[in-house]
Structures are given as C-alpha cells and as structure tokens.
Amino acid sequence: MDIIIDVKNLNAWYGEKQVLYNVSLQIPRYNITAIIGPSGCGKTTFLRCLNRLHELTPGNRVEGEIYFYGKNFKGNIYDSKVDPVEIRRHMGMVFQKPNPFPMLSVYDNVAIGLKINGIRDKKKIDEIVMDSLKKAYLLDEVKDALHKSGASLSGGQQQRLCIARAIAYNPEVILLDEPTSALDPVATSKIEQLLVELKREYTIVIVTHNMQQAARIADYTAFMYLGKLIEFAPTEELFETPKNELTERYITGKFG
Amino acid sequence: MRGDKIFLYILLFISALFVVIVFLLGFELYRGSSSIFDIFGFNFILSSTWDPVRGVFGIAPVILGSFLTCFIALILAIPVALLTSYFISELVPSRLKIYITSLVELLAAVPSVVYGLWGILVLVPFLRDNIYVPLQSAFYFLPGFGGAITGYGILTAGILLAIMILPTITSITKEAIELLPASIKEAAIALGAMRYQSARIIFTHIKLTIIAAIMLGFARAFGEAMAVAMVIGGSHLFPNSIFATGYTLPSLIVNEFTEATSPLHYSALIAAGFVLFVIALANIVVARLIIYRTTRFMRLAI
Ligand SMILES: Nc1ncnc2c1ncn2[C@@H]1O[C@H](COP(=O)(O)OP(=O)(O)OP(=O)(O)O)[C@@H](O)[C@H]1O
Ligand SMILES: [Mg+2]
C-alpha cells in the first residue's frame, strides 16, 4: 500500500482537556479515507491536526508524529524545523460550514489561494481558476456570476466553491470536515460524485456523520470513539465484518 | 399597533430635531458671517491676506493648513493604527490583551488640552532638536527645507494629531477584526497564508469599518482646536517650508476670538467657522459616497 500520511501516536489537547489518545493511522495515496464516529469523538480535531490548524488556538497542544510523504516534502510535519505554512500549502481544507470569502468575488475566492501560493501570472491564474471551477462542477452554474460576491451563491454552490478553492493551488491532500452536512440530497450527491472524481489526482480524507456516505464513496474507513481510533479497515470490511464490538454497535445503530 | 405608531412618531420627532439643529447651526453661522461674504464674497476663501488692522480678510492659507495637518495626521496614523490593531487582536496573548486595549481606550479619552501641553513640553523640543534641525542641515539646498525652525508648525501639528487619532482608529479596527468570524480567518490560514497575507484578507473584509474609522479620525483631526492651537505657531502666510508655522480653521478661531479687534474681524472668525461647518458636512457626504460604492458590491451579492 502506498502511504501518504502516517500518523503515529497522536495526542491532542484543548487546554488541559485531552481529546485524542494515541491515534495511529496510515492514509493511502489517491484514495478516499472516511472518518466516522459519534459526535464529540474527536474527528474534527484529528483532521485539524493533519494540517497543523489545531495548534493555532492559544492553549491547544499536539503530541506525536505525523509523517507526510509528499512530492516536495517528506518527513514529520510536527518536527520543530518545519514551517506549518508550508504543510498547509500541501493540503487543502474544506470546512463543515461553507466559508467563502464574502468580500471577494467568486473568481477571486479561487484566485486568492493561487496568489497566496505564489502564482502571479494572470493568464495562468485565469486558466487554473476556470479549471478548478470546472472540476468542482460549478463553472456552468456560475460562469455569468464570476464577479459577484462569493456569499451570493447557494449553500451547495458555496461548498463547491470552497472545494474549488481548496484544489486550485494543487495540494496533494484534501481534508473535508462534514462537507455535506448543511446540504440537500442533490447538492450532496454532486459533491460525492466530485470527490470520487478527484481521488484520481488527490488523496482525500473526509469526516462524515453519515455512514451511508462513507459506504458509498470511501475506500478506507476509520471509526473513532471517545478520542481513540477503534478500527481502521477497507470500507467494505469495516461495514460487513467489523472486528471490534464497538464498531459493530455503532454501524448497526445500536449506540446509546 | 398603537404603541408602534407612538414609537414611530417619537423616532420621527428625534430625527427631525437633528435636522433642525444642524440647519439652525448652519444658519446662525451664516448670519454671523454674512457681512464678510457681502464684502469679500468668494475672495474670503481664495485670498491669503488677513489684516485685521486694514480690515482685509482671506483664509486660503488657513484652509490649506487645515487640510495639510489632517493629511499628515492620516498618512502617519492609518498604517500604524492598522498594524497595531492587527497586532493587538491577533498576536497579543489574551491575558495581556485586556491591558493593552484599556491603554488604547485611555489614550482616546485624554482631553486634547493635555495632548497640547505634552506637545509643547515634549513633542516640540524633541522634533526641533532631533528631527527638524538634522533634516535641515542635510537637505538645506532643497526647496522646502529652508526657513526658521521653532519646532512649532504645521508638520508638528500634523504629527500631534496623528498621535491623537491613533487610538480612535486603532480601537475601532481592532473591534472589527475581533468580530470577523473565525471561519474566515481559518479559511485564509488553511490556504497556507503567511501572516501578512492573512492580515490582508482580514483587512479586505473589514474595509467598511476601516473607512468609517478613518472618517472619524479625520473628523476629530479636522475639528481639533486646542491642541493644534498650542503647537501650530499661528501664521496667516502660505507655508514656504516643511517647518513653517500656520493655522487651521479651528485653531485660528480659538486663538483670535477673544481678542477680535473689530466687528468685521469677529465676523471673519465666524465665517471661518461656517467654512469649517460646510467642510465637515462635505466630509460626511464623501464618506457616505465611498461607503455606498464599496457596499454596492455587497448588495449586488444579495
Ligand atoms: N474549542 C474547544 N475547546 C474545548 N474543547 C473542545 C473544543 N472543541 C472541541 N472540544 C472537545 O473536543 C472533543 C472532540 O471535539 P471534535 O470537534 O473533534 O469532535 P467531532 O468528532 O468533530 O464532533 P462532531 O461530530 O460533533 O463534529 C469534544 O469532546 C469537544 O467537547
Ligand atoms: Mg466535527
């Protein structure tokens, strides 16, 4: 198996409160890995450790190692010599609530990520913006509204805009935190289709509440409970022959 | 129903009261200065002769002085205020933040006469000995660097005004940064933004508040009388160097009002007040236009 992210003994705290306990997990390249588990089990926290976002809040702390084997970076992203900004540039993130920049146009919402990542050439930016919007299945819907505010789109369009923004600067991994939880079934299925499409070029890690969603699109699924990784396996295996009793109770819906 | 109607009437009455007060103020100023405008017309604004003895009055250099000091104050204060507000809201640990914020608010509340005294006692001698004199000896051959150096003058007044409006702009901007949803700041950081890049994105999103803050700073600087009168040196001539003394409209009024030598002199000072009033109103209109233009994009969004 070709591993892109290797998490070793990850622990995380909010102030004094520990919320992740010795999580170890290997994420395969060009696959969709889903993270499921009951509310409050630490899925979001785990995802935010992968691009060093968790530590931004004063008081928060992370221990352990995460090895990232990217094209231009190989090593432990929590090494003291590593610049978190560089790590974030190898990863794109899509948040639970769509968060386009409201004061920027649809076009600039995507272009800004390119400018941040050092692309200056106007023609190239133009090309990539259009391409990313197309990849996110959004271009047809917004091609006459490129210069309207990013906040003027519908919720589902905003989330696809955020996906376009996250893939535009060509990261290797895309982290998604319940990207469809605020959307209707039509928008949800569009985004699911899109993710399956995207895994040819990107590695995808998606947090989801929705087990059917994990079953539909994920190649691998991790089940977390109370800050611990309980089981990690190919999706079919996890859903059909769970090895852990907790996993079984959770996926059969017999959870307190 | 009935309650709503009464509430509406009260609101209407209060708004009308504001309009009436502004109108009366303008009218009173105009009446007090009508003899000046009857005699000099627009020359009052365009001419640079101010000679109470001969009874000739023109305030062009004073108007220029008003705009120059405000311009200097804004140029100096805006970048410092933006950087300070970003520093306080994003970089200072939360335990220290309360103290720094209170300090900034305290600075905003210091009476202007105190700033004026500090200007005379500290700023004027400091600028004269450490900045102006070395500057002149380095660039004496360039135009605009000649003339006597007293430490008092338009530049000094501008610098003092910058210090005075700094806390106002800073605390409003800081408030806006802190109110900006964390999701927007995180979106920028997750894209791999460096600190200055996310600062730029943050400032883009609070543009309107920044404009409002600058407008408020301008209004305070433009209307400031006491502190400016204490350090500007008092002169009715056009400035001939960066060290020149001068006047602003409010500082002219405080300086000469108590010793006005004739009814016409008195009237000229009221006329200066009228000009000040009109420019202040214009400032509000211009600011409204800027805000309208900036928000048009946002309204298109809806
Ligand atoms: N800002 C915070 N400060 C303190 N504790 C927090 C904070 N955010 C989350 N926690 C705690 O950390 C634990 C894990 O939270 P996290 O958001 O990672 O859960 P989650 O699995 O994403 O939940 P959900 O499915 O509801 O989004 C929870 O017990 C939560 O109470
Ligand atoms: Mg969550």
Side-chain angles (χ1 to χ4, degrees), chain B residues 7-131:
Chain B
F7 184 56
L8 189 71
Y9 285 137
I10 294 175
L11 288 183
L12 266 177
F13 176 74
I14 293 174
S15 332
L17 205 62
F18 272 113
V19 177
V20 169
I21 290 174
V22 170
F23 184 78
L24 281 181
L25 202 63
F27 179 71
E28 204 50 46
L29 285 170
Y30 182 74
R31 216 173 48 142
S33 53
S34 61
S35 52
I36 283 289
F37 289 114
D38 287 346
I39 299 173
F40 300 104
F42 271 107
N43 269 338
F44 177 67
I45 294 165
L46 300 176
S47 131
S48 62
T49 317
W50 180 277
D51 189 343
V53 180
R54 284 194 299 133
V56 182
F57 297 98
I59 56 164
V62 181
I63 294 175
L64 179 71
S66 267
F67 279 106
L68 271 181
T69 50
C70 281
F71 182 71
I72 295 167
L74 288 177
I75 290 285
L76 295 176
I78 291 169
V80 179
L82 295 191
L83 290 177
T84 314
S85 59
Y86 182 78
F87 176 73
I88 298 175
S89 48
E90 297 290 286
L91 303 181
V92 171
S94 45
R95 267 174 302 119
L96 276 177
K97 205 181 279 185
I98 310 167
Y99 299 107
I100 300 187
T101 306
S102 325
L103 193 75
V104 171
E105 272 156 18
L106 186 81
L107 284 177
V110 172
S112 53
V113 68
V114 176
Y115 275 107
L117 280 176
W118 177 80
I120 292 177
L121 296 175
V122 180
L123 191 65
V124 167
F126 173 82
L127 289 176
R128 182 186 55 216
D129 301 339
N130 298 294
I131 311 279

Side-chain angles (χ1 to χ4, degrees), chain A residues 13 45 62 78 86 94 102 122-123 126 143 147 170 175 206 233-234 240 243 249:
Chain A
W13 287 261
T45 311
V62 178
Y78 278 100
E86 195 204 333
V94 178
K122 277 238 169 68
K123 253 178 83 182
D126 215 58
K143 61 177 180 291
H147 295 288
N170 206 24
L175 311 169
I206 179 173
E240 277 161 25
K243 292 196 176 56
R249 276 174 52 204

Side-chain angles (χ1 to χ4, degrees), chain A residues 14 17 19 38-45 96 178 209:
Chain A
Y14 287 96
K17 182 179 168 196
V19 297
S39 184
C41 71
K43 305 181 295 292
T44 297
T45 311
Q96 179 166 356
E178 299 186 38
H209 251 125

